[in-house]
Amino acid sequence: MTRQERLALSLVVEPGDVRLRDLLRVHDPGRVLSAVRGEVQLPDEHLPEAWTERARDLADRVDRAMARAESTGLRWVCPGDGDWPTSLADLDHVLSLQGTAGAPLGLWVRGKGSLRALCDQAVAIVGARDCTTYGAEVASDLGADLTDAGWTVTSGAAYGIDGCAHRGALALGRPTVAVLACGADVDYPRSHSALLARIAEDGLVISEQAPGETPLKGRFLSRNRIIAGLSRGTVVVEAAVRSGSLNTLNWADQLGRTTMGVPGPVTSQSSGGVHVALREGKAVLVTSGQDVLEELGGLGAEVSQVEGPTTAFDALSPAMRSALEGLDWRDARTPGQIATAVRLTGHEVHAALDRLEGLGLASRTSDGWVLVRRADTG
């Protein structure tokens, strides 16, 4: 199938449609497109009416998609391209989940980064939209720690855990990949437009959906398989029993990728789904970036060899190290001043200072925060 044929078929069939996956197992892709156009017939096959209906103005659909892609800076990447992640082909060899299946025909990409290079060593961090402060801090720290170790964080750019994971990666000035359930040119949620713009600067915003397409409930489920397929492992941070984030975990499990979960308080409904996955053996318990790296390395992934901390400074998270550098012995500094000096968010600084105080490295005064002692660096 040529690039043009893949693009055309993707505008006719809703991404993740099980029926297309089944047809492509027995028929040549180009012939399926010809059948959709009404040019040939497939023996013993009845094509969905919705497909043939959309194919009636297929040429116009292709022209509109390409025009919008050009005006919004999107590009079409598909199998056969040097930038295509071959790991997505595994999606053709697993069972469907909630009516969704199959490898994507291609992806619309926003950003200058290389999709294949960024996803060669990627890990997904997903979780609840309505997350707790605990969950937000964990996701941010994981995003920063894994990015610092050379991994690309993938997620869905949604409210809550997804956004925190992306911001954790961006806090270190590293690329991250956002997979959307709408067109890659559509800012969703709208209030994340600035976040998506930052992601596209150094990383990528990608989608199976054509430019301009809006998010629908079913599209979030089909989007989840792409997140799992691009990543060598998936970490779930806070997910209720019926959370959609567990769908991503289930895809990762089917694909034979590493599945991990961060435990929460036993009284927290926000972590109920994670606890069930841990109890049933569908996920390995992890509590830090170090744990995640060890699990990923266990599958033979090429990870940076991270040894146990040799100094107190090595044991600190990236945010804690930066906040510590922003403190002074004599001059008390406010969290805002520290955040500006070391380029962290106010939320990250507050969380880091609380932890540094607990370690006896920083102290709160009436005027702000002061350095008590440096962590041993040698």
Side-chain angles (χ1 to χ4, degrees):
M1 186 189 291
T2 66
R3 301 182 79 256
Q4 292 75 16
E5 289 173 334
R6 283 183 172 277
L7 193 155
L9 193 56
S10 76
L11 299 176
V12 171
V13 182
E14 181 68 24
D17 194 316
V18 178
R19 295 169 295 184
L20 178 63
R21 190 276 310 271
D22 294 343
L23 277 174
L24 293 179
R25 284 179 170 175
V26 295
H27 295 288
D28 177 77
R31 188 169 178 79
V32 173
L33 179 60
S34 295
V36 171
R37 287 171 167 164
E39 299 167 352
V40 300
Q41 286 189 334
L42 298 178
D44 302 320
E45 299 287 1
H46 177 70
L47 297 178
E49 186 176 344
W51 297 5
T52 56
E53 177 69 26
R54 293 193 195 103
R56 291 174 185 172
D57 63 343
L58 184 53
D60 288 339
R61 286 177 179 270
V62 172
D63 289 342
R64 289 196 299 270
M66 294 305 296
R68 176 146 184 162
E70 184 176 359
S71 66
T72 55
L74 304 187
R75 66 183 190 275
W76 172 255
V77 179
C78 66
D81 292 345
D83 204 19
W84 184 254
T86 56
S87 61
L88 289 173
D90 293 344
L91 289 166
D92 273 336
H93 306 291
V94 295
L95 298 174
S96 64
L97 283 177
Q98 294 181 270
T100 298
L105 292 164
L107 293 168
W108 295 94
V109 179
R110 171 183 166 192
K112 298 179 181 178
S114 166
L115 179 61
R116 182 168 186 167
L118 284 176
C119 295
D120 182 58
Q121 190 164 278
V123 57
I125 301 176
V126 297
R129 287 175 172 79
D130 187 19
C131 67
T132 66
T133 301
Y134 161 80
E137 291 177 353
V138 170
S140 180
D141 284 349
L142 284 176
D145 291 346
L146 294 172
T147 298
D148 197 33
W151 287 74
T152 298
V153 170
T154 62
S155 197
Y159 290 126
I161 298 301
D162 289 18
C164 291
H166 287 304
R167 291 188 181 95
L170 292 170
L172 295 186
R174 305 289 179 81
T176 179
V177 174
V179 187
L180 305 186
C182 53
D185 60 323
V186 177
D187 291 332
Y188 184 86
R190 188 177 297 274
S191 61
H192 276 187
S193 59
L195 173 62
L196 289 166
R198 286 186 63 198
I199 292 173
E201 283 180 11
D202 298 310
L204 294 173
V205 177
I206 66 176
S207 178
E208 264 187 296
Q209 299 296 331
E213 286 294 319
T214 57
L216 302 174
K217 185 177 181 180
R219 291 177 175 177
F220 287 98
L221 294 176
S222 62
R223 179 276 306 271
N224 291 345
R225 82 189 199 289
I226 303 299
I227 295 176
L230 288 172
S231 309
R232 295 197 185 185
T234 294
V235 186
V236 180
V237 182
E238 288 194 328
V241 174
R242 297 185 180 278
S243 172
S245 301
L246 298 177
N247 177 257
T248 309
L249 187 76
N250 289 334
W251 273 113
D253 185 43
Q254 281 224 91
L255 290 165
R257 311 291 166 80
T258 308
T259 51
M260 297 159 279
V262 177
V266 295
T267 56
S268 173
Q269 292 186 354
S270 297
S271 293
V274 180
H275 294 162
V276 171
L278 293 172
R279 188 170 65 249
E280 294 180 348
K282 292 183 178 179
V284 176
L285 187 150
V286 292
T287 61
S288 66
Q290 174 67 41
D291 289 351
V292 174
L293 291 171
E294 290 179 358
E295 291 303 321
L296 292 169
L299 281 184
E302 296 177 3
V303 301
S304 302
Q305 293 301 315
V306 181
E307 299 178 353
T310 57
T311 70
F313 187 79
D314 292 332
L316 301 179
S317 70
M320 291 169 69
R321 296 178 198 172
S322 296
L324 192 66
E325 292 297 322
L327 292 172
D328 186 77
W329 298 98
R330 293 173 294 275
D331 297 327
R333 295 176 180 175
T334 66
Q337 291 173 323
I338 298 170
T340 300
V342 299
R343 297 185 179 182
L344 292 176
T345 66
H347 177 78
E348 290 171 326
V349 169
H350 278 288
L353 289 173
D354 286 341
R355 296 179 187 180
L356 291 172
E357 184 179 34
L359 294 172
L361 301 177
S363 178
R364 191 195 317 253
T365 71
S366 58
D367 297 322
W369 289 80
V370 295
L371 181 67
V372 173
R373 64 181 177 87
R374 296 283 184 193
D376 182 16
T377 57

PDB file of all heavy atoms in Angstrom, residues 19-49:
ATOM      1  N   ARG A  19     -12.962  -4.148  12.057  1.00  0.00           N
ATOM      2  CA  ARG A  19     -13.316  -4.716  10.753  1.00  0.00           C
ATOM      3  C   ARG A  19     -12.214  -4.483   9.722  1.00  0.00           C
ATOM      4  O   ARG A  19     -11.968  -5.337   8.869  1.00  0.00           O
ATOM      5  CB  ARG A  19     -14.647  -4.125  10.275  1.00  0.00           C
ATOM      6  CG  ARG A  19     -15.834  -4.516  11.165  1.00  0.00           C
ATOM      7  CD  ARG A  19     -17.075  -3.721  10.834  1.00  0.00           C
ATOM      8  NE  ARG A  19     -16.890  -2.287  11.129  1.00  0.00           N
ATOM      9  CZ  ARG A  19     -17.853  -1.377  10.997  1.00  0.00           C
ATOM     10  NH1 ARG A  19     -19.059  -1.743  10.571  1.00  0.00           N
ATOM     11  NH2 ARG A  19     -17.625  -0.112  11.291  1.00  0.00           N
ATOM     12  N   LEU A  20     -11.549  -3.331   9.790  1.00  0.00           N
ATOM     13  CA  LEU A  20     -10.460  -3.074   8.850  1.00  0.00           C
ATOM     14  C   LEU A  20      -9.288  -3.999   9.150  1.00  0.00           C
ATOM     15  O   LEU A  20      -8.680  -4.553   8.229  1.00  0.00           O
ATOM     16  CB  LEU A  20     -10.018  -1.615   8.931  1.00  0.00           C
ATOM     17  CG  LEU A  20      -8.846  -1.258   8.009  1.00  0.00           C
ATOM     18  CD1 LEU A  20      -9.235  -1.437   6.549  1.00  0.00           C
ATOM     19  CD2 LEU A  20      -8.380   0.178   8.248  1.00  0.00           C
ATOM     20  N   ARG A  21      -8.967  -4.157  10.418  1.00  0.00           N
ATOM     21  CA  ARG A  21      -7.878  -5.061  10.786  1.00  0.00           C
ATOM     22  C   ARG A  21      -8.127  -6.464  10.225  1.00  0.00           C
ATOM     23  O   ARG A  21      -7.225  -7.094   9.655  1.00  0.00           O
ATOM     24  CB  ARG A  21      -7.754  -5.111  12.316  1.00  0.00           C
ATOM     25  CG  ARG A  21      -6.515  -5.811  12.902  1.00  0.00           C
ATOM     26  CD  ARG A  21      -6.657  -7.326  13.012  1.00  0.00           C
ATOM     27  NE  ARG A  21      -7.874  -7.767  13.662  1.00  0.00           N
ATOM     28  CZ  ARG A  21      -8.018  -7.964  14.975  1.00  0.00           C
ATOM     29  NH1 ARG A  21      -6.999  -7.761  15.785  1.00  0.00           N
ATOM     30  NH2 ARG A  21      -9.174  -8.398  15.467  1.00  0.00           N
ATOM     31  N   ASP A  22      -9.376  -6.935  10.349  1.00  0.00           N
ATOM     32  CA  ASP A  22      -9.710  -8.273   9.872  1.00  0.00           C
ATOM     33  C   ASP A  22      -9.637  -8.367   8.345  1.00  0.00           C
ATOM     34  O   ASP A  22      -9.188  -9.379   7.798  1.00  0.00           O
ATOM     35  CB  ASP A  22     -11.105  -8.665  10.355  1.00  0.00           C
ATOM     36  CG  ASP A  22     -11.164  -8.821  11.877  1.00  0.00           C
ATOM     37  OD1 ASP A  22     -10.084  -8.946  12.494  1.00  0.00           O
ATOM     38  OD2 ASP A  22     -12.270  -8.792  12.438  1.00  0.00           O
ATOM     39  N   LEU A  23     -10.072  -7.320   7.648  1.00  0.00           N
ATOM     40  CA  LEU A  23     -10.021  -7.321   6.181  1.00  0.00           C
ATOM     41  C   LEU A  23      -8.579  -7.345   5.676  1.00  0.00           C
ATOM     42  O   LEU A  23      -8.252  -8.047   4.716  1.00  0.00           O
ATOM     43  CB  LEU A  23     -10.737  -6.081   5.631  1.00  0.00           C
ATOM     44  CG  LEU A  23     -12.256  -6.147   5.499  1.00  0.00           C
ATOM     45  CD1 LEU A  23     -12.804  -4.793   5.077  1.00  0.00           C
ATOM     46  CD2 LEU A  23     -12.656  -7.211   4.481  1.00  0.00           C
ATOM     47  N   LEU A  24      -7.726  -6.568   6.328  1.00  0.00           N
ATOM     48  CA  LEU A  24      -6.339  -6.478   5.879  1.00  0.00           C
ATOM     49  C   LEU A  24      -5.560  -7.766   6.144  1.00  0.00           C
ATOM     50  O   LEU A  24      -4.466  -7.947   5.607  1.00  0.00           O
ATOM     51  CB  LEU A  24      -5.650  -5.288   6.567  1.00  0.00           C
ATOM     52  CG  LEU A  24      -6.167  -3.909   6.164  1.00  0.00           C
ATOM     53  CD1 LEU A  24      -5.437  -2.816   6.922  1.00  0.00           C
ATOM     54  CD2 LEU A  24      -6.019  -3.694   4.651  1.00  0.00           C
ATOM     55  N   ARG A  25      -6.114  -8.645   6.951  1.00  0.00           N
ATOM     56  CA  ARG A  25      -5.461  -9.934   7.184  1.00  0.00           C
ATOM     57  C   ARG A  25      -5.623 -10.883   5.996  1.00  0.00           C
ATOM     58  O   ARG A  25      -4.818 -11.807   5.819  1.00  0.00           O
ATOM     59  CB  ARG A  25      -6.040 -10.597   8.437  1.00  0.00           C
ATOM     60  CG  ARG A  25      -5.533  -9.981   9.739  1.00  0.00           C
ATOM     61  CD  ARG A  25      -6.164 -10.654  10.949  1.00  0.00           C
ATOM     62  NE  ARG A  25      -5.506 -10.243  12.192  1.00  0.00           N
ATOM     63  CZ  ARG A  25      -5.909 -10.605  13.401  1.00  0.00           C
ATOM     64  NH1 ARG A  25      -6.956 -11.426  13.533  1.00  0.00           N
ATOM     65  NH2 ARG A  25      -5.259 -10.193  14.475  1.00  0.00           N
ATOM     66  N   VAL A  26      -6.654 -10.649   5.170  1.00  0.00           N
ATOM     67  CA  VAL A  26      -6.931 -11.572   4.066  1.00  0.00           C
ATOM     68  C   VAL A  26      -6.936 -10.908   2.692  1.00  0.00           C
ATOM     69  O   VAL A  26      -6.953 -11.595   1.678  1.00  0.00           O
ATOM     70  CB  VAL A  26      -8.284 -12.290   4.287  1.00  0.00           C
ATOM     71  CG1 VAL A  26      -8.219 -13.183   5.507  1.00  0.00           C
ATOM     72  CG2 VAL A  26      -9.421 -11.276   4.438  1.00  0.00           C
ATOM     73  N   HIS A  27      -6.922  -9.568   2.667  1.00  0.00           N
ATOM     74  CA  HIS A  27      -6.969  -8.870   1.384  1.00  0.00           C
ATOM     75  C   HIS A  27      -5.844  -7.851   1.279  1.00  0.00           C
ATOM     76  O   HIS A  27      -5.445  -7.251   2.273  1.00  0.00           O
ATOM     77  CB  HIS A  27      -8.310  -8.142   1.206  1.00  0.00           C
ATOM     78  CG  HIS A  27      -9.491  -9.063   1.130  1.00  0.00           C
ATOM     79  ND1 HIS A  27      -9.752  -9.860   0.033  1.00  0.00           N
ATOM     80  CD2 HIS A  27     -10.479  -9.301   2.032  1.00  0.00           C
ATOM     81  CE1 HIS A  27     -10.856 -10.561   0.262  1.00  0.00           C
ATOM     82  NE2 HIS A  27     -11.314 -10.250   1.465  1.00  0.00           N
ATOM     83  N   ASP A  28      -5.377  -7.668   0.063  1.00  0.00           N
ATOM     84  CA  ASP A  28      -4.375  -6.645  -0.191  1.00  0.00           C
ATOM     85  C   ASP A  28      -4.942  -5.266   0.153  1.00  0.00           C
ATOM     86  O   ASP A  28      -6.090  -4.959  -0.215  1.00  0.00           O
ATOM     87  CB  ASP A  28      -3.978  -6.672  -1.673  1.00  0.00           C
ATOM     88  CG  ASP A  28      -2.986  -5.585  -2.011  1.00  0.00           C
ATOM     89  OD1 ASP A  28      -1.806  -5.746  -1.675  1.00  0.00           O
ATOM     90  OD2 ASP A  28      -3.407  -4.562  -2.589  1.00  0.00           O
ATOM     91  N   PRO A  29      -4.185  -4.434   0.879  1.00  0.00           N
ATOM     92  CA  PRO A  29      -4.684  -3.122   1.299  1.00  0.00           C
ATOM     93  C   PRO A  29      -5.175  -2.254   0.140  1.00  0.00           C
ATOM     94  O   PRO A  29      -6.215  -1.590   0.247  1.00  0.00           O
ATOM     95  CB  PRO A  29      -3.471  -2.489   1.985  1.00  0.00           C
ATOM     96  CG  PRO A  29      -2.671  -3.648   2.471  1.00  0.00           C
ATOM     97  CD  PRO A  29      -2.827  -4.686   1.419  1.00  0.00           C
ATOM     98  N   GLY A  30      -4.437  -2.280  -0.990  1.00  0.00           N
ATOM     99  CA  GLY A  30      -4.860  -1.482  -2.133  1.00  0.00           C
ATOM    100  C   GLY A  30      -6.199  -1.947  -2.682  1.00  0.00           C
ATOM    101  O   GLY A  30      -7.020  -1.133  -3.126  1.00  0.00           O
ATOM    102  N   ARG A  31      -6.426  -3.260  -2.608  1.00  0.00           N
ATOM    103  CA  ARG A  31      -7.695  -3.806  -3.101  1.00  0.00           C
ATOM    104  C   ARG A  31      -8.845  -3.414  -2.173  1.00  0.00           C
ATOM    105  O   ARG A  31      -9.967  -3.184  -2.625  1.00  0.00           O
ATOM    106  CB  ARG A  31      -7.594  -5.327  -3.222  1.00  0.00           C
ATOM    107  CG  ARG A  31      -8.797  -5.961  -3.910  1.00  0.00           C
ATOM    108  CD  ARG A  31      -8.550  -7.421  -4.246  1.00  0.00           C
ATOM    109  NE  ARG A  31      -9.711  -8.041  -4.863  1.00  0.00           N
ATOM    110  CZ  ARG A  31     -10.041  -7.901  -6.136  1.00  0.00           C
ATOM    111  NH1 ARG A  31      -9.296  -7.162  -6.926  1.00  0.00           N
ATOM    112  NH2 ARG A  31     -11.111  -8.503  -6.629  1.00  0.00           N
ATOM    113  N   VAL A  32      -8.572  -3.362  -0.861  1.00  0.00           N
ATOM    114  CA  VAL A  32      -9.608  -2.926   0.087  1.00  0.00           C
ATOM    115  C   VAL A  32     -10.015  -1.490  -0.223  1.00  0.00           C
ATOM    116  O   VAL A  32     -11.209  -1.162  -0.243  1.00  0.00           O
ATOM    117  CB  VAL A  32      -9.094  -3.022   1.539  1.00  0.00           C
ATOM    118  CG1 VAL A  32     -10.110  -2.403   2.508  1.00  0.00           C
ATOM    119  CG2 VAL A  32      -8.844  -4.472   1.922  1.00  0.00           C
ATOM    120  N   LEU A  33      -9.037  -0.630  -0.498  1.00  0.00           N
ATOM    121  CA  LEU A  33      -9.362   0.756  -0.833  1.00  0.00           C
ATOM    122  C   LEU A  33     -10.164   0.826  -2.126  1.00  0.00           C
ATOM    123  O   LEU A  33     -11.138   1.583  -2.222  1.00  0.00           O
ATOM    124  CB  LEU A  33      -8.074   1.578  -0.962  1.00  0.00           C
ATOM    125  CG  LEU A  33      -8.267   3.053  -1.323  1.00  0.00           C
ATOM    126  CD1 LEU A  33      -9.095   3.775  -0.261  1.00  0.00           C
ATOM    127  CD2 LEU A  33      -6.910   3.743  -1.487  1.00  0.00           C
ATOM    128  N   SER A  34      -9.788   0.024  -3.117  1.00  0.00           N
ATOM    129  CA  SER A  34     -10.534  -0.001  -4.385  1.00  0.00           C
ATOM    130  C   SER A  34     -11.970  -0.465  -4.162  1.00  0.00           C
ATOM    131  O   SER A  34     -12.908   0.051  -4.775  1.00  0.00           O
ATOM    132  CB  SER A  34      -9.835  -0.924  -5.389  1.00  0.00           C
ATOM    133  OG  SER A  34      -8.562  -0.415  -5.731  1.00  0.00           O
ATOM    134  N   ALA A  35     -12.144  -1.418  -3.255  1.00  0.00           N
ATOM    135  CA  ALA A  35     -13.490  -1.908  -2.954  1.00  0.00           C
ATOM    136  C   ALA A  35     -14.313  -0.830  -2.263  1.00  0.00           C
ATOM    137  O   ALA A  35     -15.512  -0.669  -2.540  1.00  0.00           O
ATOM    138  CB  ALA A  35     -13.397  -3.156  -2.077  1.00  0.00           C
ATOM    139  N   VAL A  36     -13.685  -0.106  -1.354  1.00  0.00           N
ATOM    140  CA  VAL A  36     -14.380   0.980  -0.661  1.00  0.00           C
ATOM    141  C   VAL A  36     -14.831   2.045  -1.662  1.00  0.00           C
ATOM    142  O   VAL A  36     -15.915   2.620  -1.549  1.00  0.00           O
ATOM    143  CB  VAL A  36     -13.463   1.606   0.417  1.00  0.00           C
ATOM    144  CG1 VAL A  36     -14.090   2.874   0.975  1.00  0.00           C
ATOM    145  CG2 VAL A  36     -13.216   0.610   1.542  1.00  0.00           C
ATOM    146  N   ARG A  37     -14.001   2.265  -2.673  1.00  0.00           N
ATOM    147  CA  ARG A  37     -14.351   3.247  -3.710  1.00  0.00           C
ATOM    148  C   ARG A  37     -15.392   2.724  -4.688  1.00  0.00           C
ATOM    149  O   ARG A  37     -15.881   3.461  -5.532  1.00  0.00           O
ATOM    150  CB  ARG A  37     -13.090   3.623  -4.489  1.00  0.00           C
ATOM    151  CG  ARG A  37     -12.113   4.515  -3.726  1.00  0.00           C
ATOM    152  CD  ARG A  37     -10.820   4.630  -4.504  1.00  0.00           C
ATOM    153  NE  ARG A  37      -9.978   5.699  -3.996  1.00  0.00           N
ATOM    154  CZ  ARG A  37      -8.692   5.822  -4.278  1.00  0.00           C
ATOM    155  NH1 ARG A  37      -8.098   4.929  -5.082  1.00  0.00           N
ATOM    156  NH2 ARG A  37      -7.982   6.830  -3.787  1.00  0.00           N
ATOM    157  N   GLY A  38     -15.706   1.420  -4.607  1.00  0.00           N
ATOM    158  CA  GLY A  38     -16.688   0.840  -5.513  1.00  0.00           C
ATOM    159  C   GLY A  38     -16.103   0.397  -6.830  1.00  0.00           C
ATOM    160  O   GLY A  38     -16.839   0.107  -7.779  1.00  0.00           O
ATOM    161  N   GLU A  39     -14.773   0.307  -6.918  1.00  0.00           N
ATOM    162  CA  GLU A  39     -14.105  -0.050  -8.172  1.00  0.00           C
ATOM    163  C   GLU A  39     -14.013  -1.557  -8.368  1.00  0.00           C
ATOM    164  O   GLU A  39     -13.972  -2.050  -9.499  1.00  0.00           O
ATOM    165  CB  GLU A  39     -12.705   0.572  -8.201  1.00  0.00           C
ATOM    166  CG  GLU A  39     -12.727   2.094  -8.128  1.00  0.00           C
ATOM    167  CD  GLU A  39     -11.348   2.682  -7.830  1.00  0.00           C
ATOM    168  OE1 GLU A  39     -10.409   1.914  -7.529  1.00  0.00           O
ATOM    169  OE2 GLU A  39     -11.235   3.924  -7.889  1.00  0.00           O
ATOM    170  N   VAL A  40     -13.966  -2.308  -7.254  1.00  0.00           N
ATOM    171  CA  VAL A  40     -13.935  -3.769  -7.314  1.00  0.00           C
ATOM    172  C   VAL A  40     -14.811  -4.309  -6.191  1.00  0.00           C
ATOM    173  O   VAL A  40     -15.257  -3.556  -5.321  1.00  0.00           O
ATOM    174  CB  VAL A  40     -12.494  -4.328  -7.151  1.00  0.00           C
ATOM    175  CG1 VAL A  40     -11.586  -3.805  -8.260  1.00  0.00           C
ATOM    176  CG2 VAL A  40     -11.934  -3.972  -5.784  1.00  0.00           C
ATOM    177  N   GLN A  41     -15.050  -5.612  -6.220  1.00  0.00           N
ATOM    178  CA  GLN A  41     -15.796  -6.264  -5.154  1.00  0.00           C
ATOM    179  C   GLN A  41     -14.909  -7.292  -4.465  1.00  0.00           C
ATOM    180  O   GLN A  41     -14.103  -7.959  -5.109  1.00  0.00           O
ATOM    181  CB  GLN A  41     -17.044  -6.951  -5.715  1.00  0.00           C
ATOM    182  CG  GLN A  41     -18.150  -5.988  -6.103  1.00  0.00           C
ATOM    183  CD  GLN A  41     -19.436  -6.725  -6.452  1.00  0.00           C
ATOM    184  OE1 GLN A  41     -19.399  -7.890  -6.860  1.00  0.00           O
ATOM    185  NE2 GLN A  41     -20.562  -6.065  -6.275  1.00  0.00           N
ATOM    186  N   LEU A  42     -15.092  -7.397  -3.160  1.00  0.00           N
ATOM    187  CA  LEU A  42     -14.365  -8.408  -2.394  1.00  0.00           C
ATOM    188  C   LEU A  42     -15.289  -9.597  -2.183  1.00  0.00           C
ATOM    189  O   LEU A  42     -16.380  -9.442  -1.631  1.00  0.00           O
ATOM    190  CB  LEU A  42     -13.924  -7.834  -1.031  1.00  0.00           C
ATOM    191  CG  LEU A  42     -12.968  -6.642  -1.072  1.00  0.00           C
ATOM    192  CD1 LEU A  42     -12.672  -6.166   0.353  1.00  0.00           C
ATOM    193  CD2 LEU A  42     -11.677  -7.008  -1.784  1.00  0.00           C
ATOM    194  N   PRO A  43     -14.878 -10.783  -2.594  1.00  0.00           N
ATOM    195  CA  PRO A  43     -15.737 -11.973  -2.446  1.00  0.00           C
ATOM    196  C   PRO A  43     -16.133 -12.203  -0.989  1.00  0.00           C
ATOM    197  O   PRO A  43     -15.287 -12.144  -0.090  1.00  0.00           O
ATOM    198  CB  PRO A  43     -14.843 -13.110  -2.962  1.00  0.00           C
ATOM    199  CG  PRO A  43     -13.845 -12.435  -3.847  1.00  0.00           C
ATOM    200  CD  PRO A  43     -13.586 -11.102  -3.213  1.00  0.00           C
ATOM    201  N   ASP A  44     -17.411 -12.446  -0.787  1.00  0.00           N
ATOM    202  CA  ASP A  44     -17.934 -12.808   0.541  1.00  0.00           C
ATOM    203  C   ASP A  44     -17.698 -11.728   1.595  1.00  0.00           C
ATOM    204  O   ASP A  44     -17.664 -12.012   2.801  1.00  0.00           O
ATOM    205  CB  ASP A  44     -17.316 -14.129   1.030  1.00  0.00           C
ATOM    206  CG  ASP A  44     -17.568 -15.270   0.075  1.00  0.00           C
ATOM    207  OD1 ASP A  44     -18.690 -15.341  -0.458  1.00  0.00           O
ATOM    208  OD2 ASP A  44     -16.631 -16.065  -0.149  1.00  0.00           O
ATOM    209  N   GLU A  45     -17.483 -10.503   1.176  1.00  0.00           N
ATOM    210  CA  GLU A  45     -17.266  -9.407   2.119  1.00  0.00           C
ATOM    211  C   GLU A  45     -18.322  -8.318   1.899  1.00  0.00           C
ATOM    212  O   GLU A  45     -18.613  -7.948   0.760  1.00  0.00           O
ATOM    213  CB  GLU A  45     -15.872  -8.787   1.953  1.00  0.00           C
ATOM    214  CG  GLU A  45     -14.711  -9.750   2.192  1.00  0.00           C
ATOM    215  CD  GLU A  45     -14.521 -10.082   3.657  1.00  0.00           C
ATOM    216  OE1 GLU A  45     -15.296  -9.580   4.494  1.00  0.00           O
ATOM    217  OE2 GLU A  45     -13.595 -10.855   3.974  1.00  0.00           O
ATOM    218  N   HIS A  46     -18.875  -7.848   3.007  1.00  0.00           N
ATOM    219  CA  HIS A  46     -19.828  -6.738   2.936  1.00  0.00           C
ATOM    220  C   HIS A  46     -19.209  -5.543   3.647  1.00  0.00           C
ATOM    221  O   HIS A  46     -19.014  -5.566   4.868  1.00  0.00           O
ATOM    222  CB  HIS A  46     -21.151  -7.121   3.600  1.00  0.00           C
ATOM    223  CG  HIS A  46     -22.141  -5.991   3.627  1.00  0.00           C
ATOM    224  ND1 HIS A  46     -22.763  -5.526   2.488  1.00  0.00           N
ATOM    225  CD2 HIS A  46     -22.598  -5.224   4.665  1.00  0.00           C
ATOM    226  CE1 HIS A  46     -23.573  -4.524   2.814  1.00  0.00           C
ATOM    227  NE2 HIS A  46     -23.476  -4.323   4.120  1.00  0.00           N
ATOM    228  N   LEU A  47     -18.882  -4.535   2.905  1.00  0.00           N
ATOM    229  CA  LEU A  47     -18.236  -3.363   3.486  1.00  0.00           C
ATOM    230  C   LEU A  47     -19.244  -2.492   4.225  1.00  0.00           C
ATOM    231  O   LEU A  47     -20.393  -2.334   3.778  1.00  0.00           O
ATOM    232  CB  LEU A  47     -17.559  -2.538   2.389  1.00  0.00           C
ATOM    233  CG  LEU A  47     -16.428  -3.227   1.626  1.00  0.00           C
ATOM    234  CD1 LEU A  47     -15.894  -2.297   0.547  1.00  0.00           C
ATOM    235  CD2 LEU A  47     -15.317  -3.645   2.575  1.00  0.00           C
ATOM    236  N   PRO A  48     -18.877  -1.926   5.338  1.00  0.00           N
ATOM    237  CA  PRO A  48     -19.777  -1.040   6.084  1.00  0.00           C
ATOM    238  C   PRO A  48     -20.242   0.125   5.210  1.00  0.00           C
ATOM    239  O   PRO A  48     -19.445   0.723   4.474  1.00  0.00           O
ATOM    240  CB  PRO A  48     -18.907  -0.551   7.243  1.00  0.00           C
ATOM    241  CG  PRO A  48     -17.891  -1.627   7.433  1.00  0.00           C
ATOM    242  CD  PRO A  48     -17.595  -2.122   6.045  1.00  0.00           C
ATOM    243  N   GLU A  49     -21.499   0.436   5.315  1.00  0.00           N
ATOM    244  CA  GLU A  49     -22.057   1.520   4.505  1.00  0.00           C
ATOM    245  C   GLU A  49     -21.380   2.858   4.807  1.00  0.00           C
ATOM    246  O   GLU A  49     -21.212   3.696   3.917  1.00  0.00           O
ATOM    247  CB  GLU A  49     -23.562   1.633   4.775  1.00  0.00           C
ATOM    248  CG  GLU A  49     -24.271   2.635   3.889  1.00  0.00           C
ATOM    249  CD  GLU A  49     -25.770   2.652   4.122  1.00  0.00           C
ATOM    250  OE1 GLU A  49     -26.288   1.696   4.736  1.00  0.00           O
ATOM    251  OE2 GLU A  49     -26.426   3.621   3.691  1.00  0.00           O
TER     252      GLU A  49
END
